[in-house]
Amino acid sequence: MRILITGGAGFIGSALTRQLISHTDHEVLVFDKLTYAGLLSSLEVVASSSRYNFVQADICDAEAVAEVLAGFRPEVVAHLAAESHVDRSIDGPADFVQTNLVGTFVMLNQTLGYWRTLSDADRAAFRFHHISTDEVFGSLGDDGFFTETSPYDPRSPYSASKAGSDHLARAWLHTYGLPVLVTNCSNNYGPYHFPEKLIPLIIVRALNGEQLPVYGDGSNVRDWLFVDDHARALQAVFERGEPGQTYNVGGNAERKNIEVVKTVCSILDRLQPRADGKPYANQIVFVTDRPGHDHRYAIDASKIRADLGWSPSVTFEEGVARTVAWYLENRTWWQDILDARYATQRLGVAHG
Ligand code: NAD
């Protein structure tokens, strides 16, 4: 299949691209603006493949989107491009409204125009896969799980913009018949994660001898999913999922933020002990909580398991160990980011 991946130079999009090029025969075109979060260094390992293509452009640019659709003639559009960092959405929501809402509208509208030019058989086989987050469902108490029918209750500019984009995607299905699928996923982690997000931030700061900031008392709970497991779920959905369906994707690994930080610290203690022999956990500090910080997210992923046979393959402890090992072995990847001072104002603040 020919698969157009928007945001394919980001954390999850690059994992999906690496997987499709390395483990399938699919041809991929990455369509990415290369914002601060888009990194060609995350795609280096597949860049020489004849099945890999790259276009640098903005999803809000209707002409550029139309040109790529007409030239590449995808059978699947996997739409991941987004502004994705909650803290940044609090500081500057405008980019989130522009890319996540206007950009998704442009992608849907241009894809609809392209889809209408296809033969009946190609129209039936085509998929527009909109990739979203569990944050659209708001905050849970100590019990319960988000399901595909949970009501939307977004609370940050990021989650509100993603919620709106989910509604747009479903509107293009119901109103115009575009074969849309939606997935809502929990917190991803793994190699090539931009070091402003919690797990890589902690690894990098620990190694640099800096304080490890944890919001509030660290009791906020997230469900954690290894990024390569998410990439496998996305592939299962656009290959075998039913248009019109939504699938929740989760790692079945709920952890408090403080537990996550302590797990990273203890793995580092084992793999790269501090020169003074003391535990990395000594560097933990608690900082003022994020405004509107959702208490708990947890996903019921039984539908994708039952319908598509997908389940996470990596436990949280194993995934974090692999992630820490990757950051130790690939210092140049993240050191280049720190050296380039990519909008560093947020690199000192933890993200749950
Ligand atoms: P990311 O921030 O790492 O990557 C986003 C990518 O989109 C970057 O390559 C960036 O250059 C590109 N991009 C941004 N604006 C663009 C524009 N206007 N035009 C073209 N490209 C643009 O994000 P991620 O963590 O890989 O998340 C990917 C998707 O998955 C997002 O839609 C996000 O909402 C969703 N999601 C993420 C998580 C998570 O834990 N990271 C969880 C659930 C859902």
Side-chain angles (χ1 to χ4, degrees), residues 198-199 201-203 206 212-215 218 224 255-268 280-281 283-286 316 320 350-351:
L198 181 62
I199 289 179
L201 178 90
I202 295 302
I203 298 171
L212 309 180
V214 176
Y215 275 141
W224 293 90
R255 296 289 184 281
K256 289 181 180 164
N257 283 349
I258 187 65
E259 291 170 343
V260 171
V261 173
K262 285 184 174 167
T263 302
V264 171
C265 286
S266 68
I267 293 168
L268 276 171
Y280 283 100
Q283 292 166 228
I284 294 172
V285 292
F286 293 93
F316 180 71
V320 175
H351 169 248

PDB file of all heavy atoms in Angstrom, residues 198-199 201-203 206 212-215 218 224 255-268 280-281 283-286 316 320 350-351:
ATOM      1  N   LEU A 198       7.986  13.650  29.697  1.00  0.00           N
ATOM      2  CA  LEU A 198       8.442  13.240  31.031  1.00  0.00           C
ATOM      3  C   LEU A 198       9.617  12.251  31.035  1.00  0.00           C
ATOM      4  O   LEU A 198      10.656  12.526  31.643  1.00  0.00           O
ATOM      5  CB  LEU A 198       7.261  12.654  31.830  1.00  0.00           C
ATOM      6  CG  LEU A 198       7.616  12.206  33.253  1.00  0.00           C
ATOM      7  CD1 LEU A 198       8.105  13.370  34.102  1.00  0.00           C
ATOM      8  CD2 LEU A 198       6.408  11.553  33.926  1.00  0.00           C
ATOM      9  N   ILE A 199       9.456  11.102  30.377  1.00  0.00           N
ATOM     10  CA  ILE A 199      10.491  10.051  30.528  1.00  0.00           C
ATOM     11  C   ILE A 199      11.841  10.477  29.942  1.00  0.00           C
ATOM     12  O   ILE A 199      12.865  10.427  30.651  1.00  0.00           O
ATOM     13  CB  ILE A 199       9.974   8.702  29.974  1.00  0.00           C
ATOM     14  CG1 ILE A 199       8.888   8.183  30.935  1.00  0.00           C
ATOM     15  CG2 ILE A 199      11.110   7.692  29.793  1.00  0.00           C
ATOM     16  CD1 ILE A 199       8.248   6.868  30.548  1.00  0.00           C
ATOM     17  N   LEU A 201      12.884  13.488  29.400  1.00  0.00           N
ATOM     18  CA  LEU A 201      13.342  14.645  30.178  1.00  0.00           C
ATOM     19  C   LEU A 201      14.071  14.185  31.435  1.00  0.00           C
ATOM     20  O   LEU A 201      15.155  14.687  31.773  1.00  0.00           O
ATOM     21  CB  LEU A 201      12.130  15.516  30.565  1.00  0.00           C
ATOM     22  CG  LEU A 201      12.469  16.731  31.418  1.00  0.00           C
ATOM     23  CD1 LEU A 201      12.767  17.940  30.542  1.00  0.00           C
ATOM     24  CD2 LEU A 201      11.341  17.063  32.383  1.00  0.00           C
ATOM     25  N   ILE A 202      13.492  13.195  32.104  1.00  0.00           N
ATOM     26  CA  ILE A 202      14.100  12.694  33.341  1.00  0.00           C
ATOM     27  C   ILE A 202      15.437  12.013  33.037  1.00  0.00           C
ATOM     28  O   ILE A 202      16.441  12.240  33.732  1.00  0.00           O
ATOM     29  CB  ILE A 202      13.118  11.722  34.054  1.00  0.00           C
ATOM     30  CG1 ILE A 202      11.861  12.468  34.503  1.00  0.00           C
ATOM     31  CG2 ILE A 202      13.795  11.003  35.222  1.00  0.00           C
ATOM     32  CD1 ILE A 202      12.088  13.633  35.442  1.00  0.00           C
ATOM     33  N   ILE A 203      15.487  11.217  31.980  1.00  0.00           N
ATOM     34  CA  ILE A 203      16.740  10.516  31.645  1.00  0.00           C
ATOM     35  C   ILE A 203      17.851  11.535  31.386  1.00  0.00           C
ATOM     36  O   ILE A 203      18.952  11.467  31.947  1.00  0.00           O
ATOM     37  CB  ILE A 203      16.562   9.625  30.393  1.00  0.00           C
ATOM     38  CG1 ILE A 203      15.509   8.540  30.636  1.00  0.00           C
ATOM     39  CG2 ILE A 203      17.898   8.998  29.976  1.00  0.00           C
ATOM     40  CD1 ILE A 203      15.110   7.758  29.383  1.00  0.00           C
ATOM     41  N   ALA A 206      18.800  13.631  34.449  1.00  0.00           N
ATOM     42  CA  ALA A 206      19.520  12.812  35.437  1.00  0.00           C
ATOM     43  C   ALA A 206      20.981  12.671  35.012  1.00  0.00           C
ATOM     44  O   ALA A 206      21.905  12.889  35.814  1.00  0.00           O
ATOM     45  CB  ALA A 206      18.858  11.446  35.560  1.00  0.00           C
ATOM     46  N   LEU A 212      15.348  16.819  38.926  1.00  0.00           N
ATOM     47  CA  LEU A 212      14.315  16.079  38.200  1.00  0.00           C
ATOM     48  C   LEU A 212      12.950  16.597  38.655  1.00  0.00           C
ATOM     49  O   LEU A 212      12.438  16.169  39.700  1.00  0.00           O
ATOM     50  CB  LEU A 212      14.449  14.577  38.477  1.00  0.00           C
ATOM     51  CG  LEU A 212      15.858  14.016  38.265  1.00  0.00           C
ATOM     52  CD1 LEU A 212      15.890  12.514  38.557  1.00  0.00           C
ATOM     53  CD2 LEU A 212      16.353  14.296  36.839  1.00  0.00           C
ATOM     54  N   PRO A 213      12.360  17.538  37.875  1.00  0.00           N
ATOM     55  CA  PRO A 213      11.124  18.184  38.342  1.00  0.00           C
ATOM     56  C   PRO A 213       9.898  17.295  38.164  1.00  0.00           C
ATOM     57  O   PRO A 213       9.685  16.704  37.120  1.00  0.00           O
ATOM     58  CB  PRO A 213      11.026  19.427  37.436  1.00  0.00           C
ATOM     59  CG  PRO A 213      11.765  19.055  36.201  1.00  0.00           C
ATOM     60  CD  PRO A 213      12.806  18.043  36.570  1.00  0.00           C
ATOM     61  N   VAL A 214       9.096  17.198  39.223  1.00  0.00           N
ATOM     62  CA  VAL A 214       7.849  16.419  39.189  1.00  0.00           C
ATOM     63  C   VAL A 214       6.715  17.350  39.604  1.00  0.00           C
ATOM     64  O   VAL A 214       6.807  18.038  40.627  1.00  0.00           O
ATOM     65  CB  VAL A 214       7.930  15.220  40.170  1.00  0.00           C
ATOM     66  CG1 VAL A 214       6.606  14.468  40.211  1.00  0.00           C
ATOM     67  CG2 VAL A 214       9.064  14.279  39.772  1.00  0.00           C
ATOM     68  N   TYR A 215       5.662  17.379  38.777  1.00  0.00           N
ATOM     69  CA  TYR A 215       4.539  18.270  39.068  1.00  0.00           C
ATOM     70  C   TYR A 215       3.812  17.863  40.352  1.00  0.00           C
ATOM     71  O   TYR A 215       3.537  16.678  40.571  1.00  0.00           O
ATOM     72  CB  TYR A 215       3.518  18.220  37.936  1.00  0.00           C
ATOM     73  CG  TYR A 215       3.817  19.147  36.774  1.00  0.00           C
ATOM     74  CD1 TYR A 215       3.589  18.727  35.469  1.00  0.00           C
ATOM     75  CD2 TYR A 215       4.284  20.437  36.974  1.00  0.00           C
ATOM     76  CE1 TYR A 215       3.829  19.561  34.395  1.00  0.00           C
ATOM     77  CE2 TYR A 215       4.538  21.274  35.910  1.00  0.00           C
ATOM     78  CZ  TYR A 215       4.305  20.838  34.622  1.00  0.00           C
ATOM     79  OH  TYR A 215       4.546  21.677  33.565  1.00  0.00           O
ATOM     80  N   GLY A 218       3.217  14.399  42.439  1.00  0.00           N
ATOM     81  CA  GLY A 218       3.574  13.252  41.600  1.00  0.00           C
ATOM     82  C   GLY A 218       2.516  12.170  41.567  1.00  0.00           C
ATOM     83  O   GLY A 218       2.773  11.061  41.097  1.00  0.00           O
ATOM     84  N   TRP A 224       0.712   4.035  30.278  1.00  0.00           N
ATOM     85  CA  TRP A 224       1.904   4.175  29.435  1.00  0.00           C
ATOM     86  C   TRP A 224       1.974   3.076  28.386  1.00  0.00           C
ATOM     87  O   TRP A 224       1.769   1.906  28.688  1.00  0.00           O
ATOM     88  CB  TRP A 224       3.166   4.159  30.310  1.00  0.00           C
ATOM     89  CG  TRP A 224       3.225   5.384  31.174  1.00  0.00           C
ATOM     90  CD1 TRP A 224       2.702   5.524  32.428  1.00  0.00           C
ATOM     91  CD2 TRP A 224       3.777   6.658  30.827  1.00  0.00           C
ATOM     92  NE1 TRP A 224       2.916   6.823  32.883  1.00  0.00           N
ATOM     93  CE2 TRP A 224       3.567   7.535  31.916  1.00  0.00           C
ATOM     94  CE3 TRP A 224       4.432   7.156  29.690  1.00  0.00           C
ATOM     95  CZ2 TRP A 224       4.001   8.864  31.909  1.00  0.00           C
ATOM     96  CZ3 TRP A 224       4.865   8.478  29.691  1.00  0.00           C
ATOM     97  CH2 TRP A 224       4.648   9.311  30.790  1.00  0.00           C
ATOM     98  N   ARG A 255       0.544   4.108  35.872  1.00  0.00           N
ATOM     99  CA  ARG A 255       1.556   4.433  36.871  1.00  0.00           C
ATOM    100  C   ARG A 255       1.385   5.891  37.310  1.00  0.00           C
ATOM    101  O   ARG A 255       1.071   6.747  36.491  1.00  0.00           O
ATOM    102  CB  ARG A 255       2.982   4.296  36.300  1.00  0.00           C
ATOM    103  CG  ARG A 255       3.400   2.900  35.867  1.00  0.00           C
ATOM    104  CD  ARG A 255       3.628   1.959  37.042  1.00  0.00           C
ATOM    105  NE  ARG A 255       4.125   0.663  36.609  1.00  0.00           N
ATOM    106  CZ  ARG A 255       3.402  -0.325  36.083  1.00  0.00           C
ATOM    107  NH1 ARG A 255       2.107  -0.160  35.908  1.00  0.00           N
ATOM    108  NH2 ARG A 255       3.955  -1.474  35.740  1.00  0.00           N
ATOM    109  N   LYS A 256       1.642   6.145  38.612  1.00  0.00           N
ATOM    110  CA  LYS A 256       1.734   7.533  39.068  1.00  0.00           C
ATOM    111  C   LYS A 256       3.008   8.150  38.493  1.00  0.00           C
ATOM    112  O   LYS A 256       4.024   7.445  38.351  1.00  0.00           O
ATOM    113  CB  LYS A 256       1.816   7.580  40.594  1.00  0.00           C
ATOM    114  CG  LYS A 256       0.529   7.203  41.270  1.00  0.00           C
ATOM    115  CD  LYS A 256       0.689   7.311  42.782  1.00  0.00           C
ATOM    116  CE  LYS A 256      -0.631   6.929  43.414  1.00  0.00           C
ATOM    117  NZ  LYS A 256      -0.557   6.626  44.802  1.00  0.00           N
ATOM    118  N   ASN A 257       2.977   9.459  38.234  1.00  0.00           N
ATOM    119  CA  ASN A 257       4.172  10.113  37.676  1.00  0.00           C
ATOM    120  C   ASN A 257       5.409   9.853  38.544  1.00  0.00           C
ATOM    121  O   ASN A 257       6.501   9.612  38.022  1.00  0.00           O
ATOM    122  CB  ASN A 257       3.944  11.621  37.550  1.00  0.00           C
ATOM    123  CG  ASN A 257       3.081  11.955  36.346  1.00  0.00           C
ATOM    124  OD1 ASN A 257       2.816  11.099  35.499  1.00  0.00           O
ATOM    125  ND2 ASN A 257       2.627  13.196  36.268  1.00  0.00           N
ATOM    126  N   ILE A 258       5.231   9.885  39.862  1.00  0.00           N
ATOM    127  CA  ILE A 258       6.401   9.700  40.733  1.00  0.00           C
ATOM    128  C   ILE A 258       6.960   8.275  40.594  1.00  0.00           C
ATOM    129  O   ILE A 258       8.175   8.069  40.651  1.00  0.00           O
ATOM    130  CB  ILE A 258       6.071  10.061  42.215  1.00  0.00           C
ATOM    131  CG1 ILE A 258       7.326  10.024  43.080  1.00  0.00           C
ATOM    132  CG2 ILE A 258       4.973   9.190  42.788  1.00  0.00           C
ATOM    133  CD1 ILE A 258       8.368  11.060  42.732  1.00  0.00           C
ATOM    134  N   GLU A 259       6.059   7.313  40.349  1.00  0.00           N
ATOM    135  CA  GLU A 259       6.535   5.929  40.139  1.00  0.00           C
ATOM    136  C   GLU A 259       7.340   5.845  38.840  1.00  0.00           C
ATOM    137  O   GLU A 259       8.343   5.135  38.759  1.00  0.00           O
ATOM    138  CB  GLU A 259       5.361   4.954  40.048  1.00  0.00           C
ATOM    139  CG  GLU A 259       4.606   4.757  41.353  1.00  0.00           C
ATOM    140  CD  GLU A 259       3.309   3.967  41.164  1.00  0.00           C
ATOM    141  OE1 GLU A 259       2.804   3.834  40.022  1.00  0.00           O
ATOM    142  OE2 GLU A 259       2.779   3.518  42.176  1.00  0.00           O
ATOM    143  N   VAL A 260       6.860   6.570  37.825  1.00  0.00           N
ATOM    144  CA  VAL A 260       7.560   6.568  36.539  1.00  0.00           C
ATOM    145  C   VAL A 260       8.979   7.124  36.736  1.00  0.00           C
ATOM    146  O   VAL A 260       9.968   6.534  36.279  1.00  0.00           O
ATOM    147  CB  VAL A 260       6.787   7.423  35.506  1.00  0.00           C
ATOM    148  CG1 VAL A 260       7.598   7.622  34.236  1.00  0.00           C
ATOM    149  CG2 VAL A 260       5.435   6.791  35.211  1.00  0.00           C
ATOM    150  N   VAL A 261       9.077   8.245  37.432  1.00  0.00           N
ATOM    151  CA  VAL A 261      10.375   8.897  37.623  1.00  0.00           C
ATOM    152  C   VAL A 261      11.306   7.981  38.429  1.00  0.00           C
ATOM    153  O   VAL A 261      12.488   7.816  38.100  1.00  0.00           O
ATOM    154  CB  VAL A 261      10.180  10.268  38.313  1.00  0.00           C
ATOM    155  CG1 VAL A 261      11.522  10.889  38.671  1.00  0.00           C
ATOM    156  CG2 VAL A 261       9.382  11.203  37.404  1.00  0.00           C
ATOM    157  N   LYS A 262      10.746   7.342  39.466  1.00  0.00           N
ATOM    158  CA  LYS A 262      11.591   6.459  40.287  1.00  0.00           C
ATOM    159  C   LYS A 262      12.033   5.216  39.501  1.00  0.00           C
ATOM    160  O   LYS A 262      13.147   4.728  39.690  1.00  0.00           O
ATOM    161  CB  LYS A 262      10.835   6.052  41.562  1.00  0.00           C
ATOM    162  CG  LYS A 262      10.797   7.200  42.561  1.00  0.00           C
ATOM    163  CD  LYS A 262      10.140   6.790  43.861  1.00  0.00           C
ATOM    164  CE  LYS A 262      10.263   7.915  44.892  1.00  0.00           C
ATOM    165  NZ  LYS A 262       9.397   7.689  46.052  1.00  0.00           N
ATOM    166  N   THR A 263      11.163   4.726  38.609  1.00  0.00           N
ATOM    167  CA  THR A 263      11.560   3.574  37.775  1.00  0.00           C
ATOM    168  C   THR A 263      12.735   3.965  36.880  1.00  0.00           C
ATOM    169  O   THR A 263      13.723   3.221  36.762  1.00  0.00           O
ATOM    170  CB  THR A 263      10.363   3.110  36.904  1.00  0.00           C
ATOM    171  OG1 THR A 263       9.286   2.782  37.758  1.00  0.00           O
ATOM    172  CG2 THR A 263      10.734   1.906  36.049  1.00  0.00           C
ATOM    173  N   VAL A 264      12.637   5.139  36.245  1.00  0.00           N
ATOM    174  CA  VAL A 264      13.743   5.599  35.384  1.00  0.00           C
ATOM    175  C   VAL A 264      15.025   5.716  36.218  1.00  0.00           C
ATOM    176  O   VAL A 264      16.097   5.256  35.803  1.00  0.00           O
ATOM    177  CB  VAL A 264      13.391   6.955  34.728  1.00  0.00           C
ATOM    178  CG1 VAL A 264      14.607   7.550  34.028  1.00  0.00           C
ATOM    179  CG2 VAL A 264      12.229   6.797  33.759  1.00  0.00           C
ATOM    180  N   CYS A 265      14.900   6.305  37.402  1.00  0.00           N
ATOM    181  CA  CYS A 265      16.085   6.506  38.247  1.00  0.00           C
ATOM    182  C   CYS A 265      16.724   5.168  38.615  1.00  0.00           C
ATOM    183  O   CYS A 265      17.957   5.019  38.564  1.00  0.00           O
ATOM    184  CB  CYS A 265      15.704   7.253  39.530  1.00  0.00           C
ATOM    185  SG  CYS A 265      15.379   8.993  39.241  1.00  0.00           S
ATOM    186  N   SER A 266      15.900   4.173  38.969  1.00  0.00           N
ATOM    187  CA  SER A 266      16.513   2.912  39.419  1.00  0.00           C
ATOM    188  C   SER A 266      17.152   2.175  38.248  1.00  0.00           C
ATOM    189  O   SER A 266      18.182   1.504  38.420  1.00  0.00           O
ATOM    190  CB  SER A 266      15.504   2.046  40.176  1.00  0.00           C
ATOM    191  OG  SER A 266      14.531   1.587  39.295  1.00  0.00           O
ATOM    192  N   ILE A 267      16.585   2.313  37.043  1.00  0.00           N
ATOM    193  CA  ILE A 267      17.233   1.677  35.877  1.00  0.00           C
ATOM    194  C   ILE A 267      18.566   2.372  35.586  1.00  0.00           C
ATOM    195  O   ILE A 267      19.579   1.724  35.288  1.00  0.00           O
ATOM    196  CB  ILE A 267      16.292   1.694  34.659  1.00  0.00           C
ATOM    197  CG1 ILE A 267      15.088   0.779  34.939  1.00  0.00           C
ATOM    198  CG2 ILE A 267      17.021   1.249  33.399  1.00  0.00           C
ATOM    199  CD1 ILE A 267      13.949   0.918  33.967  1.00  0.00           C
ATOM    200  N   LEU A 268      18.572   3.692  35.706  1.00  0.00           N
ATOM    201  CA  LEU A 268      19.843   4.417  35.503  1.00  0.00           C
ATOM    202  C   LEU A 268      20.866   4.027  36.563  1.00  0.00           C
ATOM    203  O   LEU A 268      22.062   3.893  36.270  1.00  0.00           O
ATOM    204  CB  LEU A 268      19.592   5.924  35.552  1.00  0.00           C
ATOM    205  CG  LEU A 268      19.117   6.572  34.254  1.00  0.00           C
ATOM    206  CD1 LEU A 268      18.691   8.018  34.511  1.00  0.00           C
ATOM    207  CD2 LEU A 268      20.196   6.521  33.172  1.00  0.00           C
ATOM    208  N   TYR A 280      20.046   8.255  41.708  1.00  0.00           N
ATOM    209  CA  TYR A 280      19.548   9.386  40.915  1.00  0.00           C
ATOM    210  C   TYR A 280      18.291   9.990  41.543  1.00  0.00           C
ATOM    211  O   TYR A 280      17.995  11.167  41.352  1.00  0.00           O
ATOM    212  CB  TYR A 280      19.231   8.934  39.486  1.00  0.00           C
ATOM    213  CG  TYR A 280      20.456   8.762  38.613  1.00  0.00           C
ATOM    214  CD1 TYR A 280      20.998   7.512  38.378  1.00  0.00           C
ATOM    215  CD2 TYR A 280      21.067   9.863  38.022  1.00  0.00           C
ATOM    216  CE1 TYR A 280      22.115   7.334  37.576  1.00  0.00           C
ATOM    217  CE2 TYR A 280      22.194   9.707  37.210  1.00  0.00           C
ATOM    218  CZ  TYR A 280      22.710   8.441  36.989  1.00  0.00           C
ATOM    219  OH  TYR A 280      23.821   8.296  36.198  1.00  0.00           O
ATOM    220  N   ALA A 281      17.538   9.175  42.311  1.00  0.00           N
ATOM    221  CA  ALA A 281      16.295   9.679  42.921  1.00  0.00           C
ATOM    222  C   ALA A 281      16.577  10.873  43.843  1.00  0.00           C
ATOM    223  O   ALA A 281      15.669  11.667  44.117  1.00  0.00           O
ATOM    224  CB  ALA A 281      15.596   8.554  43.679  1.00  0.00           C
ATOM    225  N   GLN A 283      17.918  13.443  43.034  1.00  0.00           N
ATOM    226  CA  GLN A 283      17.791  14.673  42.225  1.00  0.00           C
ATOM    227  C   GLN A 283      16.327  15.104  42.042  1.00  0.00           C
ATOM    228  O   GLN A 283      16.055  16.141  41.452  1.00  0.00           O
ATOM    229  CB  GLN A 283      18.445  14.454  40.844  1.00  0.00           C
ATOM    230  CG  GLN A 283      19.957  14.297  40.913  1.00  0.00           C
ATOM    231  CD  GLN A 283      20.592  13.751  39.628  1.00  0.00           C
ATOM    232  OE1 GLN A 283      21.393  12.829  39.677  1.00  0.00           O
ATOM    233  NE2 GLN A 283      20.246  14.299  38.475  1.00  0.00           N
ATOM    234  N   ILE A 284      15.373  14.286  42.551  1.00  0.00           N
ATOM    235  CA  ILE A 284      13.945  14.604  42.363  1.00  0.00           C
ATOM    236  C   ILE A 284      13.556  15.840  43.178  1.00  0.00           C
ATOM    237  O   ILE A 284      13.921  15.955  44.357  1.00  0.00           O
ATOM    238  CB  ILE A 284      13.053  13.405  42.797  1.00  0.00           C
ATOM    239  CG1 ILE A 284      13.279  12.208  41.861  1.00  0.00           C
ATOM    240  CG2 ILE A 284      11.578  13.808  42.825  1.00  0.00           C
ATOM    241  CD1 ILE A 284      12.593  10.919  42.301  1.00  0.00           C
ATOM    242  N   VAL A 285      12.836  16.780  42.524  1.00  0.00           N
ATOM    243  CA  VAL A 285      12.235  17.910  43.256  1.00  0.00           C
ATOM    244  C   VAL A 285      10.775  18.032  42.818  1.00  0.00           C
ATOM    245  O   VAL A 285      10.443  17.754  41.668  1.00  0.00           O
ATOM    246  CB  VAL A 285      12.943  19.262  42.984  1.00  0.00           C
ATOM    247  CG1 VAL A 285      14.342  19.295  43.548  1.00  0.00           C
ATOM    248  CG2 VAL A 285      12.943  19.591  41.500  1.00  0.00           C
ATOM    249  N   PHE A 286       9.916  18.442  43.736  1.00  0.00           N
ATOM    250  CA  PHE A 286       8.502  18.629  43.402  1.00  0.00           C
ATOM    251  C   PHE A 286       8.279  20.104  43.070  1.00  0.00           C
ATOM    252  O   PHE A 286       8.731  20.980  43.818  1.00  0.00           O
ATOM    253  CB  PHE A 286       7.632  18.162  44.570  1.00  0.00           C
ATOM    254  CG  PHE A 286       7.730  16.681  44.780  1.00  0.00           C
ATOM    255  CD1 PHE A 286       8.657  16.149  45.677  1.00  0.00           C
ATOM    256  CD2 PHE A 286       6.943  15.804  44.051  1.00  0.00           C
ATOM    257  CE1 PHE A 286       8.785  14.774  45.843  1.00  0.00           C
ATOM    258  CE2 PHE A 286       7.060  14.424  44.209  1.00  0.00           C
ATOM    259  CZ  PHE A 286       7.978  13.915  45.110  1.00  0.00           C
ATOM    260  N   PHE A 316       5.701  -2.337  31.059  1.00  0.00           N
ATOM    261  CA  PHE A 316       6.223  -0.995  31.335  1.00  0.00           C
ATOM    262  C   PHE A 316       7.699  -1.058  31.761  1.00  0.00           C
ATOM    263  O   PHE A 316       8.529  -0.304  31.253  1.00  0.00           O
ATOM    264  CB  PHE A 316       5.372  -0.329  32.418  1.00  0.00           C
ATOM    265  CG  PHE A 316       5.837   1.046  32.768  1.00  0.00           C
ATOM    266  CD1 PHE A 316       5.659   2.104  31.873  1.00  0.00           C
ATOM    267  CD2 PHE A 316       6.466   1.300  33.977  1.00  0.00           C
ATOM    268  CE1 PHE A 316       6.105   3.380  32.188  1.00  0.00           C
ATOM    269  CE2 PHE A 316       6.912   2.570  34.302  1.00  0.00           C
ATOM    270  CZ  PHE A 316       6.728   3.615  33.398  1.00  0.00           C
ATOM    271  N   VAL A 320      10.651   0.680  29.660  1.00  0.00           N
ATOM    272  CA  VAL A 320      11.468   1.772  30.202  1.00  0.00           C
ATOM    273  C   VAL A 320      12.941   1.375  30.177  1.00  0.00           C
ATOM    274  O   VAL A 320      13.812   2.194  29.844  1.00  0.00           O
ATOM    275  CB  VAL A 320      11.009   2.174  31.621  1.00  0.00           C
ATOM    276  CG1 VAL A 320      11.942   3.226  32.209  1.00  0.00           C
ATOM    277  CG2 VAL A 320       9.593   2.713  31.592  1.00  0.00           C
ATOM    278  N   ALA A 350       8.560  19.239  33.770  1.00  0.00           N
ATOM    279  CA  ALA A 350       8.115  17.869  33.482  1.00  0.00           C
ATOM    280  C   ALA A 350       6.725  17.862  32.878  1.00  0.00           C
ATOM    281  O   ALA A 350       5.910  18.723  33.169  1.00  0.00           O
ATOM    282  CB  ALA A 350       8.112  17.047  34.761  1.00  0.00           C
ATOM    283  N   HIS A 351       6.479  16.871  32.059  1.00  0.00           N
ATOM    284  CA  HIS A 351       5.175  16.738  31.405  1.00  0.00           C
ATOM    285  C   HIS A 351       4.600  15.371  31.710  1.00  0.00           C
ATOM    286  O   HIS A 351       5.242  14.367  31.509  1.00  0.00           O
ATOM    287  CB  HIS A 351       5.358  16.893  29.889  1.00  0.00           C
ATOM    288  CG  HIS A 351       4.151  16.527  29.100  1.00  0.00           C
ATOM    289  ND1 HIS A 351       4.115  15.434  28.294  1.00  0.00           N
ATOM    290  CD2 HIS A 351       2.937  17.112  29.030  1.00  0.00           C
ATOM    291  CE1 HIS A 351       2.910  15.358  27.725  1.00  0.00           C
ATOM    292  NE2 HIS A 351       2.197  16.363  28.160  1.00  0.00           N
TER     293      HIS A 351
END
